[in-house]
Amino acid sequence: MARIGFVGLGNMGGPMARNLLKAGHQVAGFDLVPAALEAFAAAGGTAAASAAAATADADFVVTMLPAGRHVRDAWLGAGGMAAAAAPAAILIDCSTIDVATARAVAGEAGRPMLDAPVSGGTMGAEAGTLTFMVGGPDAAFAAAQPILAAMGRTIVHCGAAGAGQAAKVCNNMMLAANMIIASEALVLAERLGLSHQALFDVVSKSSGQSWAMTTYCPVPGLVPTSPANRDYKPGFAGALMLKDLRLSQEAAASGGATTPLGAQALALFERFVAEGGGEVDFSGIIRMLRGS
């Protein structure tokens, strides 16, 4: 079993670290929030005094942090993680950040590094069914697969450094647009006197089918995995979707890509969050669309 350092034990990182413990790995963890660190220790992990301390002597080091600036600071700045890591350690950043920062940190870390953002939300993190989109060297990816497999079900090597982040922003731009159009269709059905069930029965077997409808349906009672069944408790919060959409549009601008639907999805989620949707599941945008 591997020795693993894990920094960032929040809503996603906490359950991911616990799944590593369940798989029998030795995990030293750190988080700036005392309650998160205490919960990790209660689950059998070793609480470290700092990010660098969690990193020392680890075979693999995993971060799950809010944004690119946090990732850069943790690895290359005040966190001191890259310097503290053993020369042979494999570094894995599971945060969702901009492609440019992912490539820059990987280039400066001085250790083999993977960008490995995830899809699946807190339910996937708890269940160990996340999808990992991974960028980085072939040898590091091969070595890290058993570690990632303890936290996820699907692991895809997307290419060189930054490719995992590129895949993540593309996926979530599509997800946001799919959720918006599924919500609009359900609201239209309401106005036309068509039941949610009837539309679902048609769409789930027809060309309008999407994951947003058949797995994460934004109205309650149709699929068991929908946050709508729990009054839109996330899940994947609206503020996080807004963050990812901003990253997608930054990437589109830097890459010279035209993404008009992605831009419109960003505008709608900016409004959703401004109106109080930041802490509810992103599928709760249907309530805003219904009110419109």
Side-chain angles (χ1 to χ4, degrees), residues 215-234:
T215 301
Y216 221 73
C217 187
V219 296
L222 297 182
V223 297
T225 49
S226 170
N229 299 333
R230 307 183 303 277
D231 195 31
Y232 300 97
K233 178 182 177 181

Side-chain angles (χ1 to χ4, degrees), residues 28 89 109-110 112 115 138 199 219 225 243 258:
D115 53 286
D138 291 347
L199 180 63
V219 296
T225 49
K243 169 197 162 185
T258 302

Side-chain angles (χ1 to χ4, degrees), residues 258-282:
T258 302
T259 57
L261 288 180
Q264 184 61 36
L266 171 59
L268 287 169
F269 271 96
E270 284 177 333
R271 179 183 158 200
F272 177 56
V273 171
E275 294 180 2
E279 299 303 316
V280 302
D281 192 81
F282 81 101

Side-chain angles (χ1 to χ4, degrees), residues 95-99 102-103 115-119 131-135 155-175 244 247-248 251:
S95 318
T96 296
I97 64 173
D98 60 286
V99 175
R103 289 174 175 163
D115 53 286
V118 302
S119 179
T131 293
F132 285 89
M133 297 151 268
V134 187
I155 305 162
V156 181
H157 191 199
C158 299
Q165 299 295 350
K168 177 66 184 286
V169 297
C170 290
N171 179 80
N172 279 22
M173 183 176 71
M174 293 172 64
L175 173 58
D244 289 359
L247 290 173
S248 78

Side-chain angles (χ1 to χ4, degrees), residues 15 19 122-132 148-154:
N19 283 328
T122 55
M123 290 185 293
E126 291 282 358
T129 58
L130 295 169
T131 293
F132 285 89
L148 300 177
M151 301 181 286
R153 178 180 292 165
T154 303

